[in-house]
Amino acid sequence: METCPSQRTANMFCFIIYLIALSLLEGTDATNQTFTSSGEMNITSCPITYYGQKYDRVYEADAQVDGLTVSKQKFQTADTINGVITDVSGCRLSGFVYKTNTTVSDPNICSTVTCDVSGVATAVSDCGPMERCQGNGVCVLNAMCSVTGSTVIDFVGRVHSVPDRCGYTLMGSLSFPGLRMLGVFQERRRKDVSFLDRVMLEGPGVQISLEQGGRVKLNDKVLMLNATAQVVHGVELSRDQTGVTAKMSASNYTVSVLFDGYTTLIHTTGPSEAAVDGLCGNSTSSLNDERVTGHWSTGCETEYDDAADSTINCNTTTEWCNLLKQAPFTACNEHINPEPFITACTNTLCKYPAVDGLKCQFLEAYARACSLHSNITMESWRTTTSCPAVPRTFCKDRFCSAHEFCGERNVGEPSCLCRAIFASKYRSTGTLGEPTVCQQSSASVILANCLLEDKSIDYSVLHLNDQACKAEMDNLTHMVMFNYNGSNTCGTVVTANNSEIIYKNTIMTRNISTSGLINRHSPVRIDFSCHYNQPDVTTLAIKIKHSSVIQNMTSGEWNYNLTMKAYTNADRMIAIQPSTDIKLDQKIWVELKTDGLNENMVLVVTDACWATDQPSPIGGLRYDLIIEGCPNPADQTVKVEGNGLGTSNYFSFNTFQFSGKTGGVYLHCKVELCVTQSNACAPLCNQAGRRRRSAMSTYEDENPAFISMAWT
């Protein structure tokens, strides 16, 4: 006999001993025994717990049946003073004893039990796979469906793995007519592993969405919830530190849904098993059959295959997941099979990093399922596994955008992180957001805040060249915008080269006074620009009776229109119409006007206008009207007004015809853009019409805009 070690569990055997159960066999007669010798042993210092009974004294006796000694038994019971014991040869099942070589129907476990001659019991349950015995021969519906990560463990213990980011029917039942429960899946850190993102309850004209951060929406309207249940369209909704709960009842059937942002537990009860559709149901439909449309992006069914994570040790992961078959989880193993949960755990953690508290979420799901289904609480499991003492709620009330999810950027610090697919299109090009958008005289840059935070960049300390021009973040999308326009250029620098006008600004970090020698803000300098590209030479010749020519000028990221229009009066109010009679040597006014340019930043200069007898600006005879921005000094009828002073100008001259020619006359003009910062856009012409100095060299373009018109 061994000495009992101190501080060991009460049910440890300290010596070899046989115990005898002293209850009458179920449905059998007791067999009388007599003792031929006996003895008593005190084991108070090391008591034994066996089948829930604590023993501190042991009695020894030789047992005989019909005068024959069958075994030497050791036991403790008050009945030994009468010298009577009970035959213990038989079967034990679910805490009940059955006589060998018998078959009985046991209402205590709602099963037909067969105990064979070898003492091995087998049971055939009278309850369905979704039912539970009440202990009185009555089976009732009591089933649990769990969804953690991409794995669905249905009501009958089957495992389904969702491979994409679509929506699926989780449950639909005739017991709840018109109700459909959907699960929407999204990727997180990897493109090839999806997670349950939200649970939706849909009924006629009603949609209730249980979302991340504990947010609940009714038809896209956010509901304010607390621990006190409120009924919304027949659904009881409540919210506490464990998550959001939705409960529905109909015809003695009840369905409750708990969603904590990571796992959903669907618990259904009722008088009897009913047909249930969806991934949680007891049907044989496939994943494709349960995929539904709407509420998620196009192409959600596309599957990815990311490179394996070399930091993951699948053997270590498997050991962790198998904790569900060890104490204290064994207290629940009889009620809820741990194998599906172990499969879900290993399938995910062998592929996806154990971050954001994911390791403990699978254990949490099993413990909660056990508590809801069988009312068994395993208080010590968190201590045993070193999981947090309370359920993780660090993402509670943190609402991320559609392209983000709530996770830990640093340990214990919740942040809205970029989803893998969203981030991949920017990371592959080394950018932090969308390309610059240039619209007429304004420009904007949109960056993703989650990408900025990945680089440890705080958007609130960023600004443009003008420090007063800061970013604005959209509260819904979490996209960060910088912009400027003609009325507020935010320090935009305008430059010119031979072919374009360039508007440039810079996103940079604000100078922050720091105490000490360190600074935790990453320095930032992001240049962006817009430009006007002068188009290729284009001739657009029409009869003057059409009165105007409009040509669209595409300038890189920006567009503007250039219009040439003819008038018969100096105030340019009476445009020449098709019916207007124009005579030779009649004065006309021609206006060159742009639309889409900001005169605070760029001006229009008419550098040259000339006439030819051919449609081509370089063919046939040529007569100059404007030379280098000034009137031709040989033609006193030519007058130029407003040249280089705005986004439009005009000139006048008397009509003419080439000598000896009866065909049309074609008017061509070359227009250039000039940066206002040069302060030298207006040509300086002397009284004779000649330019006094070359003020145009700072803006002269190799590819100016050309526009033409003709008259007969």
Side-chain angles (χ1 to χ4, degrees):
M1 182 171 65
E2 299 177 348
T3 303
C4 181
S6 60
Q7 304 300 320
R8 293 226 179 152
T9 54
N11 62 343
M12 179 176 291
F13 287 93
C14 298
F15 44 79
I16 305 299
I17 189 168
Y18 292 94
L19 293 178
I20 302 176
L22 301 173
S23 61
L24 292 177
L25 288 175
E26 188 74 26
T28 64
D29 296 330
T31 302
N32 292 331
Q33 313 292 323
T34 60
F35 302 114
T36 59
S37 62
S38 64
E40 178 180 336
M41 183 180 301
N42 189 329
I43 59 170
T44 305
S45 62
C46 186
I48 299 170
T49 300
Y50 191 65
Y51 284 105
Q53 177 78 33
K54 184 176 180 181
Y55 299 88
D56 55 12
R57 290 180 181 273
V58 174
Y59 298 86
E60 181 179 6
D62 292 334
Q64 294 183 345
V65 178
D66 298 330
L68 299 175
T69 299
V70 294
S71 65
K72 182 181 288 293
Q73 305 288 351
K74 297 179 180 181
F75 58 95
Q76 177 231 1
T77 175
D79 292 339
T80 56
I81 59 175
N82 299 321
V84 177
I85 65 173
T86 300
D87 185 357
V88 294
S89 59
C91 302
R92 287 185 176 272
L93 183 68
S94 300
F96 297 97
V97 181
Y98 304 92
K99 188 176 180 179
T100 56
N101 202 27
T102 60
T103 298
V104 296
S105 179
D106 189 349
N108 294 296
I109 59 173
C110 301
S111 299
T112 300
V113 181
T114 299
C115 178
D116 63 19
V117 293
S118 302
V120 178
T122 56
V124 178
S125 177
D126 300 327
C127 298
M130 294 173 58
E131 293 180 321
R132 182 183 177 190
C133 181
Q134 283 191 310
N136 57 358
V138 176
C139 298
V140 295
L141 176 64
N142 185 353
M144 180 73 66
C145 176
S146 170
V147 187
T148 300
S150 60
T151 305
V152 180
I153 303 172
D154 66 22
F155 288 129
V156 295
R158 296 173 301 186
V159 176
H160 310 276
S161 183
V162 174
D164 51 35
R165 300 153 313 287
C166 297
Y168 288 83
T169 300
L170 296 179
M171 177 183 171
S173 174
L174 294 177
S175 302
F176 296 89
L179 173 68
R180 185 172 66 158
M181 190 180 304
L182 307 178
V184 181
F185 295 81
Q186 282 273 34
E187 91 284 3
R188 293 189 179 179
R189 296 175 187 263
R190 290 177 61 93
K191 293 181 287 187
D192 57 349
V193 179
S194 61
F195 288 80
L196 181 66
D197 191 63
R198 64 185 184 274
V199 178
M200 305 175 72
L201 310 177
E202 290 189 341
V206 177
Q207 182 186 95
I208 298 175
S209 182
L210 315 182
E211 302 185 351
Q212 298 290 313
R215 180 165 54 187
V216 178
K217 290 182 179 179
L218 171 64
N219 296 335
D220 292 329
K221 180 181 179 182
V222 177
L223 299 177
M224 304 304 295
L225 300 176
N226 52 38
T228 302
Q230 58 176 283
V231 179
V232 178
H233 291 277
V235 179
E236 291 184 21
L237 296 171
S238 60
R239 178 177 182 261
D240 58 20
Q241 71 276 8
T242 65
V244 178
T245 300
K247 186 176 181 180
M248 297 144 285
S249 299
S251 304
N252 296 323
Y253 286 90
T254 299
V255 173
S256 65
V257 184
L258 172 65
F259 182 53
D260 63 3
Y262 310 97
T263 296
T264 190
L265 296 174
I266 304 171
H267 186 206
T268 179
T269 60
S272 61
E273 184 171 329
V276 179
D277 297 326
L279 295 183
C280 284
N282 51 9
S283 66
T284 57
S285 56
S286 66
L287 269 173
N288 288 336
D289 294 332
E290 302 301 346
R291 185 187 292 136
V292 293
T293 58
H295 312 300
W296 32 90
S297 60
T298 303
C300 67
E301 69 281 357
T302 302
E303 297 182 24
Y304 294 86
D305 187 16
D306 289 356
D309 189 334
S310 60
T311 65
I312 296 175
N313 186 325
C314 197
N315 291 330
T316 303
T317 291
T318 302
E319 291 178 6
W320 170 266
C321 298
N322 275 301
L323 290 176
L324 291 176
K325 294 192 290 187
Q326 302 176 23
F329 297 102
T330 49
C332 191
N333 288 174
E334 181 181 347
H335 304 279
I336 295 183
N337 183 7
E339 291 297 339
F341 289 84
I342 293 172
T343 299
C345 179
T346 53
N347 286 351
T348 301
L349 292 179
C350 282
K351 196 171 186 179
Y352 192 91
V355 292
D356 306 327
L358 186 59
K359 284 178 63 176
C360 292
Q361 288 170 25
F362 290 97
L363 308 187
E364 177 86 38
Y366 185 78
R368 284 190 177 181
C370 187
S371 176
L372 290 173
H373 182 269
S374 305
N375 200 27
I376 295 176
T377 303
M378 299 168 291
E379 296 292 347
S380 63
W381 77 267
R382 297 182 186 278
T383 303
T384 303
T385 60
S386 299
C387 286
V390 294
R392 297 179 66 84
T393 57
F394 73 96
C395 280
K396 184 179 180 182
D397 294 325
R398 180 174 286 273
F399 308 124
C400 300
S401 68
H403 61 262
E404 299 172 327
F405 70 96
C406 183
E408 290 178 315
R409 195 178 303 279
N410 299 312
V411 177
E413 296 182 9
S415 298
C416 288
L417 310 180
C418 290
R419 297 190 186 276
I421 295 176
F422 172 82
S424 63
K425 64 180 180 180
Y426 302 106
R427 289 171 178 159
S428 62
T429 57
T431 59
L432 297 173
E434 297 295 324
T436 304
V437 176
C438 303
Q439 294 179 335
Q440 295 186 355
S441 60
S442 67
S444 62
V445 174
I446 298 178
L447 307 177
N449 188 55
C450 59
L451 293 173
L452 292 174
E453 291 190 349
D454 281 347
K455 302 287 188 181
S456 299
I457 299 172
D458 180 359
Y459 86 92
S460 66
V461 301
L462 301 180
H463 59 79
L464 297 181
N465 288 341
D466 183 345
Q467 292 193 22
C469 296
K470 300 179 182 179
E472 296 181 358
M473 185 168 73
D474 188 293
N475 290 330
L476 182 62
T477 65
H478 292 178
M479 299 299 283
V480 176
M481 174 183 285
F482 294 87
N483 64 75
Y484 66 84
N485 54 45
S487 60
N488 184 7
T489 62
C490 294
T492 298
V493 177
V494 185
T495 59
N497 59 28
N498 289 334
S499 61
E500 57 189 11
I501 306 296
I502 303 170
Y503 293 70
K504 181 180 178 181
N505 213 314
T506 302
I507 300 170
M508 63 185 73
T509 311
R510 185 172 70 241
N511 292 327
I512 303 174
S513 60
T514 58
S515 58
L517 301 176
I518 65 171
N519 178 19
R520 289 193 169 91
H521 291 286
S522 299
V524 177
R525 185 178 182 85
I526 304 172
D527 294 328
F528 67 99
S529 62
C530 291
H531 59 271
Y532 288 109
N533 269 344
Q534 300 288 12
D536 295 333
V537 176
T538 302
T539 298
L540 184 60
I542 62 169
K543 302 296 184 182
I544 201 169
K545 64 182 181 180
H546 291 162
S547 76
S548 68
V549 177
I550 300 176
Q551 184 171 345
N552 180 263
M553 303 298 181
T554 301
S555 302
E557 301 290 344
W558 269 325
N559 292 333
Y560 67 93
N561 291 324
L562 175 62
T563 302
M564 178 187 285
K565 199 167 187 178
Y567 301 88
T568 59
N569 60 332
D571 58 7
R572 303 180 307 286
M573 298 297 293
I574 304 174
I576 295 176
Q577 302 298 328
S579 58
T580 304
D581 185 15
I582 303 297
K583 298 180 175 61
L584 281 176
D585 202 28
Q586 179 178 338
K587 183 175 285 294
I588 63 172
W589 286 260
V590 178
E591 183 179 45
L592 293 161
K593 184 177 181 180
T594 63
D595 178 49
L597 296 178
N598 181 3
E599 66 180 11
N600 294 324
M601 305 176 100
V602 66
L603 302 175
V604 172
V605 178
T606 300
D607 184 66
C609 287
W610 66 99
T612 63
D613 65 339
Q614 303 291 330
S616 171
I618 60 174
L621 301 174
R622 171 172 175 148
Y623 182 78
D624 291 308
L625 295 172
I626 299 176
I627 303 172
E628 293 186 348
C630 297
N632 181 356
D635 190 339
Q636 297 299 314
T637 70
V638 180
K639 306 294 181 185
V640 181
E641 302 289 343
N643 200 10
L645 300 179
T647 56
S648 65
N649 57 67
Y650 66 95
F651 64 95
S652 62
F653 66 96
N654 290 4
T655 59
F656 59 88
Q657 190 173 28
F658 284 102
S659 299
K661 300 289 184 179
T662 59
V665 178
Y666 299 86
L667 178 64
H668 315 278
C669 288
K670 183 177 80 169
V671 177
E672 295 182 341
L673 302 182
C674 178
V675 179
T676 57
Q677 293 177 349
S678 69
N679 296 317
C681 294
L684 299 178
C685 305
N686 57 27
Q687 292 183 353
R690 297 174 181 174
R691 182 181 299 180
R692 291 182 298 191
R693 60 185 175 89
S694 180
M696 303 290 286
S697 59
T698 58
Y699 66 83
E700 189 169 357
D701 199 324
E702 294 179 352
N703 298 293
F706 284 83
I707 193 164
S708 303
M709 66 166 50
W711 70 88
T712 58

